[in-house]
Amino acid sequence: MATSISCTSSSFLIMRYFISLFVLLGLNLWSLDRGFALAEGTSKRHLLHPKNTHIVNLHSLLPANTCSPSTRGNKRKATLEVVHKHGPCSHLPQNKGTTMNHTQILEQDQARVNSINSRTSKKLNGVEDLSQSEATSLPAQLASSQGAGNYIVRVGLGTPTKQLSLEFDTGSYFTWTQCQPCAVSCYPQNDTIFDPASSTSYANVSCNNAKCVELGASTKYNSCLRGTCLYRMLYGDEYHNSYTIGLLAKDKLTLTSNDVFDGFLFGCGEENVRFIGPSAGLLGLSRNNFSIIEQTAQKYGRFFSYCLPPTASSTGYLSFGSPGRASSAAVRYTRLTTLSLSSSYYGLDVVGINVNGQKLSIPPSVFSSPGTIIDSGTVISRLGSTAYSALRDAFKAAMKSYPAAAPDELLDTCYDLSGYSTVTYPKIAFVFGGGVTLDLDETGIVYFLNGLKQVCLAFAGYDDDKHIAIFGNTQQKNMEVLYDVAGGRVGFAPGGC
Ligand SMILES: *[C@@H]1O[C@H](CO)[C@@H](O)[C@H](O)[C@H]1NC(C)=O
Ligand SMILES: *[C@@H]1O[C@H](CO)[C@@H](O)[C@H](O)[C@H]1NC(C)=O
Ligand SMILES: *[C@@H]1O[C@H](CO)[C@@H](O)[C@H](O)[C@H]1NC(C)=O
Ligand SMILES: *[C@@H]1O[C@H](CO)[C@@H](O)[C@H](O)[C@H]1NC(C)=O
């Protein structure tokens, strides 16, 4: 099969274009865990008005070796447990060569952000070379990198059902998993690689099927193998471009025993390049006909919600359908917007940011043009330079009693907190149109780059105001986030996991 694919599809030869950047082996998992472990504290020390600050016990940052699952999601139907890829709740064998240090995580995060922006800037040199496409034809629906900070859910595929861990992604729409016989290449994954030959419900999609034509139009890739439809998804940027190519396929998707979908369209990846694993692929939730949200719309009415765990040693959930009364009473809704140049993203109507209870002076147009999206796969939120400078200056002013630490390329506002047992930092809130104010969880404000020695403001700024602002997954931690896609609104509630 390997040979026949290579002969039939020239794109299967693109492996020659390797940019060898990601060889990620034997890295320390537990220093990483601290970056995700900021728990509640009780100290009395405060700098500013206590109502506007978080007072956090730094001792609670010591890495947890065991998983403390949340039970909050259990009340809902159609719910999957969400775990952080690098933490005890993922039940991954340690030292499997798939963990990353912070430098690598933030590099990959930047690649994803570059990829998101390339859709609007129309520049993506590396991937253009890679795809050997005509100079101007960018994949219109270029998905984003399977990022380092992603969260994992387990779903069942095929008959009999095979359990697969997939990274769930609100920033891309296409679900895929690595498939046997891995005709060109597979990366190491934790689960056994899905074998279509051992699923009685598996079917290929033919090239003249309307879905093949639709996907081809959306990805600017039309390729066939003996009448069977091939797909190609490109991720990342010119430095970290990963991609998957394989068969467009249909099989039974099992979320829970009561939530089973026949004929779910997904990618059976035979050439999966420059992914790190250990997940088996990706679950796409953004707005497109191929998204799981659209494919399950009859049952769930295009409604889903999730909570990203506050630490890597706790769990969250991903839930399909309206949670009804299981939802928090405190949920506030704001409108979902659509970015004109990339309509599959979930856009947010951000109008301002508060620090320490005070609204920063930022013109709302900084957020609305080219727009702000919410993305589960970007780790660090990105802001235009005007908004970021205002946020950073206000944060710095509130933190002036703490010793500064060296900045990182991406995170430029860092403190050395190794001499402290508690830290007090200002609350940060996002303000949305319609008067909705969302206080970030205390775990969503700082990033532990190097234990307590380098604790940084978990936001980054662009060089200008022309890029897409991104509400990333650090800022979403421990919040219930509800997507009422049909109703055109997104809701938030605190303390969701
Ligand atoms: C890894 O595989 C084990 C055994 O199948 C499973 O229990 C665990 O949930 C998997 N973890 C991930 C993150 O895939
Ligand atoms: C992270 O890993 C890369 C690649 O192995 C290495 O070059 C770099 O020095 C590491 N960074 C830190 C801070 O450990
Ligand atoms: C799907 O297509 C591939 C490539 O042509 C082929 O090898 C495989 O046998 C097909 N599977 C089924 C179930 O038709
Ligand atoms: C999405 O699916 C609907 C219903 O099958 C179809 O009418 C529509 O054209 C599809 N969208 C695209 C972009 O092909």
Side-chain angles (χ1 to χ4, degrees), residues 23-53:
V23 182
L24 309 170
L25 295 166
L27 300 161
N28 184 344
L29 175 66
W30 294 115
S31 66
L32 174 67
D33 185 51
R34 295 184 173 203
F36 306 102
L38 181 59
E40 277 179 79
T42 50
S43 163
K44 304 247 159 29
R45 185 177 182 278
H46 62 83
L47 272 178
L48 304 148
H49 197 291
K51 156 167 107 53
N52 295 326
T53 61

Side-chain angles (χ1 to χ4, degrees), residues 36 67-70 80-92 148-154 164-168 190 278-279 306-318 376 473 497:
F36 306 102
C67 178
S68 319
S70 151
L80 306 172
E81 186 179 72
V82 168
V83 302
H84 197 278
K85 196 154 98 171
H86 305 300
C89 298
S90 76
H91 306 297
L92 283 173
N150 274 351
Y151 291 90
I152 285 177
V153 291
R154 279 177 83 70
L164 298 170
S165 290
L166 303 180
E167 310 211 4
F168 90 88
N190 180 50
S279 55
Y306 59 74
C307 183
L308 303 180
T311 75
S313 57
S314 56
T315 62
Y317 57 82
L318 169 63
S376 68
N473 66 34
C497 305

Side-chain angles (χ1 to χ4, degrees), residues 402-408 412-417 452-456:
Y402 294 103
D408 171 76
D412 65 9
T413 302
C414 304
Y415 299 90
D416 179 354
L417 300 180
L452 299 182
K453 290 200 200 82
Q454 223 181 348
V455 180
C456 307

